[in-house]
Amino acid sequence: MVAAEELIDRHGPRSGQFTVRAIATSADTSIGTIYHYFPDANAIIAAVAERFMAEVLAETEQTTSGAASWPEFVTNSDEAFLAIFRRRPGLRDLWFDTRGPQAVLDIHRHYHRLLAERCQRTIEEITGVRLEIPIYMILITMVGSLFELAFRADPQGDPLVLRELHRVEMAYYASHLPSSDEACR
């Protein structure tokens, strides 16, 4: 699995350099051994996507826990995603992939839903306001699109797009939540 992650991270999941043969060579194993566990390259991509998205969820959870206000939560969350996407360039393509194998698309839906539920819980704990899950799903889709744009424009994330992403996200939350001062009253 590590060999597949490293190949995807270096070359992306759709490159000609991501093959079962390349994985076997990198892992110093036989192609037959890989096919014993995975029926094809798409199944490997799905397994890597599952691991990567679980890693993203765990890391953002750790980074955002303990936020005292929703603006702090948003800022910490953006910084966590930015750090992950910078550190894992090939794997971030799995987060943005909308044309991948069905298994990868199903994994996306699952983790986006988990992220929305976590945002809902955290924001409710911080503000006392419970917003519906579709509000968070809209936000995740908007922010994901802006992160994708930022990283398509610049491998480190285009600064202008990242500032706009944060501004849009803050405005979206502000339109649905009381200000930090109101929430503290």
Side-chain angles (χ1 to χ4, degrees), residues 93-114:
D93 287 345
L94 294 173
W95 189 265
F96 302 140
D97 193 357
T98 59
R99 298 179 324 253
Q102 187 60 49
V104 172
L105 299 178
D106 292 343
I107 291 165
H108 282 187
R109 277 190 287 286
H110 173 72
Y111 279 93
H112 288 184
R113 177 73 185 204
L114 290 177

Side-chain angles (χ1 to χ4, degrees), residues 14-131:
R14 300 223 186 298
S15 77
Q17 291 145 329
F18 181 77
T19 64
V20 174
R21 180 176 305 285
I23 295 166
T25 299
S26 180
D28 197 28
T29 192
S30 72
I31 292 173
T33 299
I34 292 174
Y35 280 121
H36 178 76
Y37 294 100
F38 300 98
D40 56 28
N42 284 339
I44 297 168
I45 292 169
V48 170
E50 175 80 30
R51 285 173 51 119
F52 175 63
M53 292 192 193
E55 175 187 322
V56 168
L57 201 63
E59 193 165 323
T60 57
E61 173 87 30
Q62 180 181 8
T63 304
T64 59
S65 67
S69 66
W70 67 261
E72 181 182 357
F73 169 77
V74 170
T75 299
N76 292 352
S77 181
D78 288 350
E79 289 172 359
F81 274 100
L82 182 60
I84 293 164
F85 292 155
R86 282 180 175 158
R87 187 176 70 245
R88 307 296 295 269
L91 291 173
R92 75 174 170 241
D93 287 345
L94 294 173
W95 189 265
F96 302 140
D97 193 357
T98 59
R99 298 179 324 253
Q102 187 60 49
V104 172
L105 299 178
D106 292 343
I107 291 165
H108 282 187
R109 277 190 287 286
H110 173 72
Y111 279 93
H112 288 184
R113 177 73 185 204
L114 290 177
L115 186 58
E117 290 169 355
R118 189 186 74 214
C119 288
Q120 181 187 50
R121 272 191 315 277
T122 303
I123 293 297
E124 186 175 10
E125 288 170 7
I126 292 169
T127 67
V129 176
R130 183 174 181 82
L131 301 174

